[in-house]
Amino acid sequence: QKNAWKKVWKNYKGIEVSNVFEYVRSQGINTISVKVAVNPTKDKEGNESYLSLENAKKTLKEAKKAGLKTNVTLLYSDDITYAGVQKLPDGWDTDSAEKKALEYTKNVIKELKAADAVPTMITIGNEVNYNFLNMSSGDGWEGFVAMSKISKMIREEGIKPAVSVSALTTDASDIQWIIGKLGNADVDYDYIGVNIYPDTHNDNYVKTLKNTVEEKAAGKQMIISSVKCPWKDSEGKASITTQTKSIYDYLQATINEKNAGGLIYDDADFVGAWDSFFDENGQAMSSLAIFAYA
């Protein structure tokens, strides 16, 4: 997401690639996703955080140039949010949160348009289950209502709305409650993204999840909105095969009869991480090719 780093990226053979966006597209990736915080903390050198809108604009613009679709996850917080942790941005409170969130969303879209960086879709929040904008009282009903207003605004701007929830338990039917709330509040969305944690949620869980969405939310598309799969196997040995198989199984589990589905891989460009697609030298791991294969 921090395009200004001018990181050197390489293919599987260690040969530098001139454009990382065009390269990942050639490997079967079709969408680039970025996260945006309201008031992200700057780093020690005073540079903009990777969660800043300014960095997101640059990344989105370059991704669009390469012919990729794009997604912006608006966190409605000053940092990453998780299930149970939806901290409001500095200067927001519960009473003003809905109004401020609507104004903020409108301004973000305005800035993205001015930068020629309008995304294909905008995801409203990250891991929001019952507490959007930290509105958890009354089963979070006020939060769902606020989400409904935001989703309609996004749609009016010609952008596809999406929502992101967390798979909190091992019971896939739990998502029925969230689908019901989204429907009752008239939230307008094309995609319901579910953040998956491989240690807890396997591909069979995802298949059940997909079937639940198809049954309870007709016309909506279920995707995995965030997942990381380790290089290492269950014994801790480095094995790209482990990561590759996990990704393929998840992809297969989300795909429906119309060949729609898929996943957003979190921190895919986090160089040297044990669960990313690039090693410490910026060289692509062969597991990246599973998207083209799939």
Side-chain angles (χ1 to χ4, degrees), residues 7-47:
K7 176 68 189 176
V8 174
W9 305 98
K10 302 172 185 177
N11 65 16
Y12 309 122
K13 296 180 179 180
I15 300 170
E16 184 176 340
V17 297
S18 58
N19 187 307
V20 69
F21 297 103
E22 292 176 357
Y23 177 67
V24 296
R25 185 187 176 200
S26 75
Q27 301 308 301
I29 302 297
N30 63 13
T31 302
I32 296 295
S33 184
V34 297
K35 297 184 180 75
V36 175
V38 179
N39 307 298
T41 304
K42 294 187 177 183
D43 63 24
K44 293 179 181 178
E45 287 74 37
N47 299 314

Side-chain angles (χ1 to χ4, degrees), residues 84 94 130-143 177:
T94 304
Y130 61 90
N131 52 358
F132 182 55
L133 300 178
N134 204 27
M135 296 176 176
S136 57
S137 61
D139 287 339
W141 177 249
E142 290 182 356
W177 182 87

Side-chain angles (χ1 to χ4, degrees), residues 48-146:
E48 290 285 354
S49 160
Y50 82 98
L51 294 173
S52 75
L53 180 58
E54 289 306 309
N55 282 320
K57 288 178 192 174
K58 296 169 188 174
T59 299
L60 294 166
K61 195 169 183 176
E62 292 302 316
K64 288 180 70 178
K65 279 184 190 175
L68 290 154
K69 297 177 182 179
T70 50
N71 168 59
V72 175
T73 297
L74 294 180
L75 299 170
Y76 297 96
S77 180
D78 291 341
D79 207 340
I80 297 291
T81 55
Y82 298 99
V85 183
Q86 300 284 324
K87 188 176 179 181
L88 288 174
D90 187 38
W92 294 26
D93 57 38
T94 304
D95 291 338
S96 65
E98 180 184 296
K99 181 181 178 181
K100 286 185 178 291
L102 282 163
E103 291 174 351
Y104 167 71
T105 307
K106 188 174 183 178
N107 288 334
V108 166
I109 294 173
K110 184 178 179 180
E111 286 199 41
L112 291 173
K113 285 188 173 183
D116 192 25
V118 179
T120 311
M121 70 178 183
I122 289 179
T123 301
I124 306 167
N126 179 61
E127 296 203 1
V128 178
N129 289 22
Y130 61 90
N131 52 358
F132 182 55
L133 300 178
N134 204 27
M135 296 176 176
S136 57
S137 61
D139 287 339
W141 177 249
E142 290 182 356
F144 285 108
V145 171

Side-chain angles (χ1 to χ4, degrees), residues 6 34 63 69 73 75 88 103 108 120 127 131 168 213 226 228-229 240 243 261 266 269 278 281:
K6 302 297 181 185
V34 297
K69 297 177 182 179
T73 297
L75 299 170
L88 288 174
E103 291 174 351
V108 166
T120 311
E127 296 203 1
N131 52 358
L168 284 175
V213 172
S226 179
K228 295 179 186 179
C229 301
I240 293 303
Q243 185 188 41
D266 194 38
D269 61 346
F278 294 91
N281 297 313

Side-chain angles (χ1 to χ4, degrees), residues 14 22 36 38 44 125 133 160 171 201 204 223 244 271:
E22 292 176 357
V36 175
V38 179
K44 293 179 181 178
L133 300 178
K160 293 181 178 181
D171 186 354
H201 311 107
N204 287 325
I223 61 173
T244 308
V271 176

